[in-house]
Amino acid sequence: MKNGDEITLDAAKREMNVNIRAAELKKRKQAWKKPAPRYTYGVLAKYAHTVTSASLGAVTDWELKL
């Protein structure tokens, strides 16, 4: 999202929508570059590398097989 973008929140449906045209969204996606990691060593770097998405619980042992 950029400053000035209009968003719609629907608490009942648990949705948040950005009201921009598909062409603008496509343009933004093409221009996006993955940011450099904030932490490159130590515990926080290890955590950032191994953690899953928050939607999956942000766990570090997702594929752990004992």
Side-chain angles (χ1 to χ4, degrees):
M1 292 182 7
K2 290 186 176 182
N3 285 339
D5 284 350
E6 183 180 309
I7 62 170
T8 303
L9 301 174
D10 188 333
K13 291 182 182 178
R14 299 177 61 121
E15 290 181 351
M16 180 177 92
N17 295 299
V18 180
N19 303 322
I20 58 174
R21 291 175 287 152
E24 175 64 17
L25 182 59
K26 183 178 178 180
K27 179 179 155 186
R28 290 183 189 186
K29 282 183 179 181
Q30 289 174 341
W32 185 83
K33 293 185 180 14
K34 183 177 179 179
R38 289 183 184 180
Y39 307 101
T40 56
Y41 63 92
V43 174
L44 291 177
K46 183 177 180 180
Y47 175 77
H49 181 72
T50 60
V51 72
T52 63
S53 167
S55 65
L56 297 174
V59 296
T60 58
D61 57 0
W62 185 258
E63 295 182 25
L64 182 65
K65 292 176 180 47
L66 298 174

